[in-house]
Amino acid sequence: MNTYPFIIIISILLIIMWAYAAISKLADLKGFKQALATQVFPKWIGKILVWVLPISELGIVGLLLFQKTQILGMYASFGLMLLFTLYVGGAVYNIYERTPCACGGLFAKLGWTKHFRVNIFLTLISIIGIVLLESGR
């Protein structure tokens, strides 16, 4: 079976998601900084993430755009989505002392439970992309 069309669809979906995530953060950098300051992790981590997250997200977009780096982009997408999913899962299952802010972008409107489901879906999509790319080697 030719998996190439599925790989293209998965890549496009992830490119759109990561580009949206990065651009929305950079477009409202002040709001993103404020959102990070309200999270459950120490403030110094937020000061690092304000730049690391959008740059990483744009880096993943770049990796997914080219066939030679697509597999690395899929692994990076999976890794970052897994971290986001675990963090959101912590909010859903009340692991934190307080509920973090679901600030910014489309996900703020979804609420934590729907956000968690979307993250699980995107994490699984990344895994499927990895499996398809690895099976074609």
Side-chain angles (χ1 to χ4, degrees):
M1 177 173 83
N2 183 8
T3 61
Y4 186 71
F6 297 108
I7 293 168
I8 295 297
I9 291 167
I10 290 169
S11 295
I12 290 170
L13 178 65
L14 293 172
I15 287 167
I16 291 168
M17 187 269 305
W18 289 122
Y20 168 78
I23 291 167
S24 66
K25 288 175 179 77
L26 294 171
D28 183 17
L29 198 56
K30 183 179 178 184
F32 180 50
K33 285 179 185 179
Q34 290 172 340
L36 286 174
T38 67
Q39 299 304 313
V40 295
F41 45 73
K43 289 189 189 289
W44 66 268
I45 292 175
K47 290 178 182 178
I48 294 169
L49 291 179
V50 74
W51 295 108
V52 169
L53 285 178
I55 289 169
S56 297
E57 291 162 349
L58 290 173
I60 292 171
V61 168
L63 291 170
L64 289 169
L65 283 171
F66 303 100
Q67 196 169 2
K68 284 188 174 193
T69 57
Q70 214 168 29
I71 188 69
L72 185 57
M74 288 290 177
Y75 276 106
S77 184
F78 167 70
L80 198 51
M81 277 311 307
L82 181 63
L83 289 174
F84 286 157
T85 302
L86 292 172
Y87 184 76
V88 172
V92 170
Y93 292 104
N94 298 312
I95 292 173
Y96 311 119
E97 290 180 21
R98 61 182 174 78
T99 303
C101 171
C103 316
L106 174 68
F107 292 116
K109 295 176 180 82
L110 289 178
W112 285 114
T113 302
K114 288 180 184 171
H115 189 168
F116 187 54
R117 289 180 187 145
V118 169
N119 279 22
I120 289 170
F121 171 76
L122 292 168
T123 303
L124 291 173
I125 289 294
S126 297
I127 292 170
I128 292 168
I130 291 167
V131 169
L132 291 176
L133 282 167
E134 290 286 3
S135 68
R137 287 183 161 196

